[in-house]
Amino acid sequence: MIAYIIRRTLYAIPILIGINFITFGLFFLVNTPDDMARMQLGVKRVTPEAIEKWKAERGYDKPLLYNAAESGRRFLTETIFFEKSVKLFVFDFGRAEDNRDIANEIRTRMGPSLALAVPVFLVGIAVNITFALGMAFFRATYLDLWGVILCVAMMSISSLFYIIGGQYLVSKLWHLVPISGYAEGTDAVKFLVLPVLIGVVGGIGAGSRWYRTLFLEEMGKDYVRTARAKGLAESAVMFRHVLQNAMIPILTGVVVVIPLLFMGSLITESFFGIPGLGSYTIDAIQAQDFAVVRAMVFIGSVLYILGLLLTDLSYTLVDPRVRLD
Amino acid sequence: MPVLLPTDALVWLLVAAVAAFAWYSSRRPHLAAPWARVLRSRAAVASAVVLGCFMLVGLLDSLHYRPALPAKDPGAPVAYSVEVRSALDALLTPLRTKLEKTYSAPLATRLYQKETVERPDGSTAREFPRLAHGGAHLKDEARWGRDVALRILAGLAGAVALWSLAVLAGRRTLARRWPRVPWSAAAAALGGLLALAGPAAMLAGGYHVLGTSQVGSDVLYQALKSIRTSLVIGTLTTLVLLPLGIVAGIAAGYFKGWVDDVIQYLYTTLNSIPGVLLIAASVLMVQVYVDTHPELFPTSAQRADFRLLALCAILGAVSWTGLARLLRGETLKLAELEYIQAAHAFGVSHSRVLGRHILPNVAHIVIISLVLDFSGLVLAEAVLSYVGVGVDPSTTSFGTMINAARLEMAREPMVWWSLAAAFFFMFALVLAANLFADAVRDGFDPRVRV
């Protein structure tokens, strides 16, 4: 097991290097630092001195890949690639446009993001599995048919409409919770109820339908027929046999997103003014703060790879046939 | 003077390719059979009619031209306007040109906000002024209700007449040729569409059916123009996605060894970057490129078109990994089957095995994943435009409509019609696409074949 984890972690290294090259290529080769400076300072009426100053302030005034003016190790380290891309590996993200430390910002913003993402994730799974079990239990009846129709209809509504509609109904019309904002501690609850509710409702369509397919696939298998043949009640078959065996495909889809919960949700956070990582990312995209976007791309990738590893480990917990070595 | 924007060219190329593929498969029973199964589903037929109408609007909007300016003196050479218009614009000229000052509610005769107006007797007052076009034909506003009702009735009557004609003609021709297709579902869908379109068309002659936006342009016109953007994103993305996904997936599964390693490494790496962030980063870079190279894009239509095309390319380059993974798995399975082994034993070349044996046998996966992706791409456009990394702000799209409507929701009294229009059109398009995709999956999935 330990050996497996170590091996998988080693596999992650080339992937992270690849990600580094992709982001480096995107941010520094497609457009040179000069282009970015011109973009930030306004395309017209920009002096070469202003561009040089902008680049020097952000450390973009070095050569891209190798520095011919330096010698020895500094030949490679005094470059943009080393300063901006390699240092991501030790989680040194540098500073944002407003001169704040990105790593520090990420640490403080992780809390609100998790406070929103974890309830959405847990409640969402519980609700979706309940609906899916219900539909699978009443399969091939009108209840199932209308359930699927409702799911397809809900899937066809853009997440933006769930947020706008929810904000309008609950906050503006009924005045139940504040429309947006955030507070520390237990005060946060009243700000989080609505986004969590909207996050769960918005996910029902696609989620329940996917789980229903998984359950129906399991229910067509031989062991289910055997269980019924030996006289087990349908509810016992559903909960004891189908649900447990469907755990493997469910885990495949679910565990991989757990680490990504740290990243928060882009749209919901920005609509509700929750100071998490999602709104941080959106603000950075809109302000074209390349350093922050680069940092978030790297963190997101690390978390995704972590999620893949967790998925494999979780198989050993639910499926005794799986041995990792 | 006709203008061929790059997206137009690709859209028509895609139409030609689809038509050629349809003709090719109709000649081959094994290719036509799954489609026949798809078209036996009532939901599929009904949603195909709805999708067809959306496509028609989108295609009309893809025929661009620059209108000739009125000649100053008879002998002079014809000059063309810099503004690029489409066939749809020409059809909807009344909607496009009847501008109001600012917001007005659907079917309203007066503006949505008070203005200082001068009375005939010289005094001034704050009141809701009459619209320049909406209901301007009414001499007496008290007759508004009667006029609207009459127009709706006339629209419905026209719809019924058109619908009966279409049904009669369809019975004679289509239903005889393909008796097993549930034409009643198609007729029902067509009836529903006509029942909405008929009254809307009649009302649009005198009113703003879905109100006007902040700058006073007709919301119905904006919604119709948004359809093309959605369709372009949903379809042109496949032009990038397909070649990458098919080549990478099949090569990995067929050649195995280091080819497989390299391709797997590539798609795991790409997949590891959260999709939205990768798209955002790429679009930001395109934005920087466009802003620093203004000389490449002389007109705003060309700039907007380039950004739309770039967005499609980026979405395609980010999302080919899913298809490649599916195709790799299927190819791995196929490559072990006896007939492929036999082909190898006979010394058939790799390219021939791939073209004759592998590709046709994974085609169903390609088709299923294409139609499944479409609705997701349409929804993604709205979210990306909201984040600010979608289409050019000057392009009308559902995303830009929703984005603008967000501020309107906070107004007092609220402006709801832009949002409602975007919701209604987008919901109809995505729902039809989802239903059609489900039917295609059921029809093509070999597991359901009996």
Side-chain angles (χ1 to χ4, degrees), chain B residues 116-125:
Chain B
T116 311
V117 283
E118 201 171 323
R119 292 268 168 78
D121 56 12
S123 64
T124 55

Side-chain angles (χ1 to χ4, degrees), chain B residues 391-406:
Chain B
V391 295
D392 190 82
S394 67
T395 313
T396 22
S397 80
F398 293 127
T400 47
M401 277 177 83
I402 298 170
N403 208 351
R406 215 196 136 199

Side-chain angles (χ1 to χ4, degrees), chain A residues 11-53:
Chain A
Y11 280 153
I13 292 174
I15 294 180
L16 285 175
I17 292 176
I19 289 163
N20 237 320
F21 273 108
I22 292 177
T23 44
F24 178 76
L26 261 181
F27 283 97
F28 295 109
L29 296 183
V30 177
N31 294 291
T32 59
D34 283 35
D35 287 335
M36 280 192 275
R38 230 167 278 146
M39 172 93 181
Q40 282 282 347
L41 300 170
V43 178
K44 287 177 189 130
R45 282 199 306 275
V46 53
T47 56
E49 294 80 45
I51 292 180
E52 285 309 319
K53 185 166 166 278

Side-chain angles (χ1 to χ4, degrees), chain B residues 3-7 64 66 82-84 290 294-310 392 394-395:
Chain B
V3 174
L4 197 66
L5 295 175
T7 51
H64 283 102
R66 278 163 64 179
V82 283
E83 189 192 5
V84 177
V290 169
E295 70 282 358
L296 292 177
F297 311 102
T299 66
S300 68
Q302 275 166 316
R303 195 186 62 222
D305 196 67
F306 175 76
R307 279 194 57 178
L308 182 62
L309 197 63
D392 190 82
S394 67
T395 313

Side-chain angles (χ1 to χ4, degrees), chain A residues 263-325:
Chain A
M263 301 283 289
S265 95
L266 294 175
I267 305 295
T268 320
E269 281 181 18
S270 88
F271 260 99
F272 286 95
I274 294 169
L277 285 177
S279 53
Y280 188 50
T281 315
I282 288 221
D283 292 345
I285 291 172
Q286 280 167 352
Q288 300 182 325
D289 190 332
F290 303 102
V292 176
V293 178
R294 214 164 44 225
M296 296 311 285
V297 166
F298 186 75
I299 296 179
S301 316
V302 172
L303 292 173
Y304 179 81
I305 293 170
L306 188 66
L308 288 181
L309 176 63
L310 284 181
T311 309
D312 282 354
L313 296 182
S314 69
Y315 287 155
T316 54
L317 296 178
V318 292
D319 190 349
R321 289 170 303 184
V322 176
R323 294 253 184 285
L324 300 177
D325 40 35

Side-chain angles (χ1 to χ4, degrees), chain B residues 167-181 183:
Chain B
V167 167
L168 276 179
R171 264 211 192 122
R172 289 277 171 87
T173 52
L174 296 171
R176 277 204 196 144
R177 177 94 168 67
W178 294 286
R180 295 184 68 182
V181 176
W183 291 107

Side-chain angles (χ1 to χ4, degrees), chain B residues 188-232:
Chain B
L190 188 67
L193 282 174
L194 282 175
L196 288 174
M202 285 308 289
L203 286 170
Y207 301 93
H208 297 288
V209 182
L210 295 173
T212 53
S213 70
Q214 188 179 12
V215 291
S217 58
D218 194 279
V219 172
L220 177 63
Y221 173 70
Q222 284 187 338
L224 288 171
K225 291 286 282 181
S226 303
I227 291 174
R228 175 178 186 263
T229 315
S230 278
L231 291 178
V232 164

Side-chain angles (χ1 to χ4, degrees), chain A residues 14-15 17-19 22 26-27 30-31 35-36 38-39 43 152-153 155-161 164 168 172 209 217 263 266-267 270-271 281-282 285-286 288 290 293 296-297 300-301 304-305, chain B residues 265 268-274 276-278 280-282 284-285 287-289 291-292 379 382-383 386-389 402 406 409-412 414 419 422-423 426-427 430-431 434-435 438 441 447:
Chain A
I15 294 180
I17 292 176
I19 289 163
I22 292 177
L26 261 181
F27 283 97
V30 177
N31 294 291
D35 287 335
M36 280 192 275
R38 230 167 278 146
M39 172 93 181
V43 178
V152 175
M155 272 165 67
S156 307
I157 298 174
S158 168
S159 54
L160 296 171
F161 288 117
I164 296 174
Y168 175 70
K172 215 174 160 192
R209 213 168 86 110
E217 210 157 283
M263 301 283 289
L266 294 175
I267 305 295
S270 88
F271 260 99
T281 315
I282 288 221
I285 291 172
Q286 280 167 352
Q288 300 182 325
F290 303 102
V293 178
M296 296 311 285
V297 166
S301 316
Y304 179 81
I305 293 170
Chain B
Y265 169 72
T268 325
T269 309
L270 264 183
N271 233 0
S272 306
I273 306 175
V276 186
L277 287 177
L278 187 55
S282 315
L284 275 184
M285 290 306 124
Q287 237 160 293
V288 173
Y289 182 80
D291 284 1
T292 48
L379 291 176
V383 170
Y386 169 76
V387 179
V389 291
I402 298 170
R406 215 196 136 199
M409 294 292 288
R411 267 178 63 101
E412 208 58 60
M414 195 176 68
L419 198 68
F423 172 80
M426 224 175 137
F427 180 64
V430 177
L431 183 64
N434 273 334
L435 289 174
D438 279 356
R441 193 186 48 200
R447 277 180 297 181

